[in-house]
Amino acid sequence: MSGNGNKMWGGRFASGPDAIMEEINASIGFDKVLYTQDIAGSKAHASMLAETGIISREDAREIAQGLDTILSELEKGEFEFSTALEDIHMNIESRLLELIGSPAGRLHTARSRNDQIALDFRMWVKEAAIDTEAALGQLMETFLVKAETHAATPMPGFTHLQTAQPVTFGHHCLAYVEMIARDRGRFRDAIERMDECPLGAAALAGTGFPIDRHMTAKTLGFREPTRNSLDSVSDRDFALEFLSATSICAVHLSRLAEEIVIWSTPQFGFAQLSDKFSTGSSIMPQKKNPDAAELVRAKTGRISGALVSLLTVMKGLPLTYSKDMQEDKEVVFDAASSIALAIAAMNGMISDISINTDKMAAAAGSGYSTATDLADWLVRELNMPFRDAHHVTGRAVAMAEAKGCELAELPLAELQTLDGAIHEGVYNVLSVENSIKSRTSFGGTAPKNVLDQVAYWRSKLA
């Protein structure tokens, strides 16, 4: 391509890049998705240039009209992108020059591609964070419906994936409501910090033109302009923070997905996904695979990989802009798309999931899950030190294990061989239902607590 210089570079270069350089240098293949933000930024910049007297109002009007035409072409799929023009900025500016002629050359006054891409990318990430937060709010609502429906549905609570104590499925759902609420908080915090406009930082040092950065910041929906031109064009911590929040959220969704996979097995049989979120086997006709949950689980690798990728890109860059930063966008675009799909899929699965309450309740009482209730009863009723009660309860579990029965099925006479003061009242705490009802401490699994927390979170979301 020698002899075919890129006019947008001006007179510094005698010839254009060869094919390999063009391929590695161009970002239009992925940054074209920023066209909405790029045009909005250019319109705000042109309006400010006219308002401050840097360009004429007539030129600003022609620029705005030309940009509107380009936006229409882009939305209709009629815009022709050129790799030779490298990026979304030059593609749009070149087309603007074709449409309106010399006024197009005034648009880049007091601006650089450095602050232009910092603006476009920040606007895109801010919108993605807002969308993700809203989607998580919908997922919380879906969980609250399930929690209310199953406020008293017993299920086993696990530690080490071993039956620990009975809880309710509603309480289990509310655990994810808490996680998702913190995820939303991380996105809100990130939005607050990225709500500063870098436009006007120019290449790195600001500009000598009398621009009004507060005007462009307000026009573009930012709280205020950034305060340091070097930092404005050279940091991508807003994208890193978005990826960090996205990665933590993806981990929460992955844990839930794993539980759905486990619950869906015939061995557990706690829940079943509908055909909408399952697939069959090409060879085994009996199979119903929880593929949607498995894919949500797998998305976590892509999303956390995006965070590591961008951290690695940024870790050794001196101030200010380096071409390395062109590698900041694809991973963010992919992570945003992946988390949006994962949230939507999980929202559908939780809405649609069918709970086998009988199987869950039966499992809730297995594995001597009310043993802690027995120990607590010994402390409360017999004034026994907890360590002694723990020892007595352990012997009771061994006794039940030897007889092949549950704790509630042990005869009173046999329990009294462990401690003669044990009386009939012990059976009030050995049932799953009574165990669950007794967990009334704040944040506990008692059905009333579950309903109170559902009401609390509904008021918060409202």
Side-chain angles (χ1 to χ4, degrees):
M1 290 191 58
S2 59
N4 183 20
N6 184 339
K7 289 187 291 185
M8 307 304 288
W9 284 353
R12 171 65 180 84
F13 295 90
S15 64
D18 65 21
I20 293 174
M21 182 59 193
E22 183 178 289
E23 180 69 19
I24 196 172
N25 195 50
S27 60
I28 190 60
F30 52 86
D31 69 15
K32 61 187 176 185
V33 304
L34 298 173
Y35 71 83
T36 303
Q37 292 78 18
D38 198 73
I39 289 174
S42 290
K43 289 178 72 174
H45 185 65
S47 177
M48 179 275 296
L49 291 177
E51 189 67 29
T52 53
I54 297 170
I55 67 172
S56 71
R57 294 187 182 277
E58 179 57 32
D59 282 346
R61 272 194 296 272
E62 288 195 50
I63 288 169
Q65 289 168 1
L67 290 170
D68 284 339
T69 299
I70 293 169
L71 180 61
S72 177
E73 291 175 350
L74 283 158
E75 289 175 340
K76 293 175 183 176
E78 298 172 354
F79 188 94
E80 291 187 16
F81 293 101
S82 166
T83 304
L85 292 170
E86 294 185 22
D87 55 34
I88 188 61
H89 322 304
M90 285 188 165
N91 269 266
I92 288 175
E93 189 174 332
S94 177
R95 177 62 178 144
L96 186 65
L97 185 62
E98 291 174 359
L99 288 172
I100 67 171
S102 61
R106 301 188 185 281
L107 174 59
H108 213 53
T109 307
R111 186 176 74 168
S112 163
R113 281 193 295 173
N114 290 358
D115 64 338
Q116 195 175 355
I117 190 54
L119 170 69
D120 293 359
F121 193 29
R122 189 179 288 238
M123 288 176 69
W124 192 96
V125 172
K126 181 181 168 186
E127 290 164 18
I130 290 169
D131 290 345
T132 306
E133 186 200 359
L136 288 172
Q138 293 171 356
L139 182 54
M140 287 176 70
E141 291 275 11
T142 300
F143 265 118
L144 290 174
V145 171
K146 287 293 180 187
E148 185 172 42
T149 302
H150 293 283
T153 299
M155 74 171 289
F158 298 99
T159 61
H160 310 279
L161 202 56
Q162 303 290 318
T163 302
Q165 292 177 265
V167 296
T168 69
F169 183 61
H171 193 56
H172 198 95
C173 289
L174 287 174
Y176 284 102
V177 170
E178 296 282 341
M179 291 183 221
I180 296 164
R182 293 193 296 273
D183 290 330
R184 292 187 79 207
R186 275 181 278 272
F187 284 108
R188 279 196 301 271
D189 291 346
I191 291 164
E192 175 70 16
R193 271 184 288 278
M194 70 177 75
D195 202 18
E196 298 176 349
C197 181
L199 186 61
L204 77 161
T207 177
F209 289 97
I211 61 174
D212 185 347
R213 294 191 62 208
H214 287 84
M215 177 183 171
T216 49
K218 182 178 180 181
T219 301
L220 293 167
F222 287 94
R223 183 182 65 249
E224 59 187 337
T226 53
R227 295 176 179 274
N228 183 281
S229 61
L230 299 171
D231 176 62
S232 301
V233 300
S234 68
D235 208 346
R236 293 295 184 265
D237 58 353
F238 63 90
L240 287 167
E241 192 165 9
F242 172 77
L243 288 177
S244 177
T246 303
S247 297
I248 296 169
C249 178
V251 167
H252 286 155
L253 296 180
S254 183
R255 295 181 71 187
L256 174 58
E258 172 69 6
E259 294 202 309
I260 291 173
V261 170
I262 292 171
W263 295 343
S264 300
T265 61
Q267 290 78 10
F268 268 73
F270 287 1
Q272 188 174 59
L273 294 174
S274 74
D275 293 349
K276 288 188 288 184
F277 295 99
S278 306
T279 64
S281 165
S282 62
I283 189 171
M284 296 169 285
Q286 84 282 8
K287 292 292 294 297
K288 187 173 185 181
N289 301 321
D291 281 10
E294 291 171 3
L295 288 166
V296 167
R297 189 173 59 186
K299 293 289 183 189
T300 309
R302 286 175 71 158
I303 292 168
S304 59
L307 173 59
V308 173
S309 174
L310 186 52
L311 283 168
T312 307
V313 167
M314 297 301 300
K315 73 171 183 63
L317 299 186
L319 296 180
T320 56
Y321 183 85
S322 296
K323 194 68 171 180
D324 310 50
M325 292 164 69
Q326 184 167 290
E327 295 294 321
D328 60 358
K329 296 167 202 64
E330 285 180 281
V331 291
V332 174
F333 296 158
D334 184 73
S337 174
S338 294
I339 198 67
L341 184 56
I343 294 168
M346 191 55 74
N347 196 34
M349 281 186 279
I350 295 302
S351 298
D352 195 57
I353 199 166
S354 174
I355 302 301
N356 186 339
T357 55
D358 292 340
K359 194 78 177 280
M360 253 187 193
S366 68
Y368 309 105
S369 63
T370 58
T372 306
D373 298 273
L374 172 57
D376 289 347
W377 184 87
L378 293 170
V379 171
R380 277 196 316 270
E381 297 295 320
L382 308 186
N383 198 28
M384 190 180 291
F386 182 78
R387 284 298 166 204
D388 293 345
H390 187 282
H391 179 70
V392 170
T393 301
R395 289 169 62 199
V397 169
M399 185 183 291
E401 219 168 23
K403 293 178 67 69
C405 69
E406 295 299 325
L407 284 173
E409 295 170 338
L410 285 172
L412 179 59
E414 295 198 26
L415 285 171
Q416 287 174 335
T417 65
L418 303 174
D419 190 296
I422 296 175
H423 56 77
E424 285 281 354
V426 73
Y427 293 105
N428 292 331
V429 301
L430 294 181
S431 72
V432 167
E433 291 74 15
N434 286 338
S435 172
I436 288 170
K437 287 178 184 176
S438 73
R439 305 294 169 181
T440 55
S441 60
F442 187 78
T445 191
K448 183 183 182 303
N449 287 19
V450 172
L451 293 174
D452 287 346
Q453 289 302 313
V454 168
Y456 167 81
W457 279 113
R458 284 207 169 118
S459 67
K460 291 279 284 185
L461 286 171

